[in-house]
Amino acid sequence: MHERPADPLAALSAEHAALLVIDVQERFAGSIAGWSVLLERVAALCDGARALSVPIAATEQYVKGLGHTADPVKAAMGSNSPLVEKMRFSALTPEIRSWFDRTGRRQLILCGIEAHVCVLQTALDARRSGIPTWLATDAISAGQQDQIAPAMHRMQRAGCTPTGVVSGLYEMAGTAEHPMFKQVLAAAKRSLAAHQ
């Protein structure tokens, strides 16, 4: 039996969304394609999500070997966002699933690394669980750049909806009259300033 894919026309909503940052850890700095750009875009997404009161959590793969979440991302997430260590590749661990359930949110936005391993397996787990899932495509990377596009294609085939950092933030804000729009605009400018 095939899962019904998420409606690609469904609106991403600040009231319904939660953001999961996957394994953006300091020791990946030398091996991930466009590392500095990735850091800025993930941090910008976190800045905007916090401004819109979107809950944020992050996972950390094998902390002993790979270190903790990179400082710019950790700072942008804020001190109330949980950091969950994991060994399995999917970030939809029991702890993260429990966090997501406690938020009461129904939509999940994914960003981080690596596209073809942890992000992919998280996305597939989320879709198997019936969670409408968005991919912040410009805030996802991998060590092997040629693996990113096939992973994105597979996640979209599984029913995930692609978006970008700026597009997702503006969609969640909905209007320039949003009381936090200046903060969203600042986050969008931070993302746009990052370039390869």
Side-chain angles (χ1 to χ4, degrees):
M1 176 182 273
H2 295 288
E3 286 285 335
R4 184 174 176 213
D7 179 356
L9 301 179
L12 188 58
S13 162
E15 293 178 12
H16 299 306
L19 171 62
L20 181 56
V21 178
I22 302 171
D23 305 347
V24 183
Q25 292 160 260
E26 51 202 21
R27 293 197 194 150
F28 280 114
S31 61
I32 295 297
W35 173 254
S36 61
V37 173
L38 176 76
L39 276 188
E40 278 301 297
R41 289 188 176 152
V42 172
L45 181 55
C46 291
D47 282 343
R50 279 179 65 203
L52 294 168
S53 300
V54 171
I56 306 168
T59 57
E60 299 177 326
Q61 180 77 20
Y62 180 50
V63 170
K64 183 179 177 182
L66 296 172
H68 288 286
T69 300
D71 287 340
V73 172
K74 195 182 300 182
M77 289 174 56
S79 58
N80 292 328
S81 298
L83 297 169
V84 175
E85 183 174 3
K86 67 182 181 68
M87 292 297 289
R88 62 185 299 223
F89 297 126
S90 172
L92 206 64
T93 64
E95 296 88 349
I96 289 294
R97 186 57 198 257
S98 176
W99 162 79
F100 181 70
D101 291 343
R102 287 193 312 272
T103 68
R105 303 304 177 102
R106 301 197 300 264
Q107 301 173 335
L108 189 61
I109 306 167
L110 303 181
C111 66
I113 56 180
E114 291 191 66
H116 60 304
V117 185
C118 296
V119 178
L120 172 65
Q121 292 189 34
T122 304
L124 296 179
D125 272 358
R127 291 302 303 130
R128 277 192 288 266
S129 297
I131 301 169
T133 304
W134 274 255
L135 308 170
T137 57
D138 53 348
I140 294 171
S141 192
Q144 296 170 276
Q145 210 159 7
D146 63 355
Q147 295 300 304
I148 298 172
M152 293 291 188
H153 179 71
R154 186 169 175 201
M155 289 185 280
Q156 289 175 49
R157 288 285 303 250
C160 297
T161 304
T163 188
V165 170
V166 174
S167 177
L169 291 176
Y170 274 60
E171 186 175 2
M172 288 191 288
T175 173
E177 295 177 320
H178 191 287
M180 300 303 288
F181 182 70
K182 284 186 179 178
Q183 289 88 333
V184 171
L185 179 60
K189 287 180 177 178
R190 181 177 185 178
S191 177
L192 292 168
H195 55 81
Q196 302 281 5

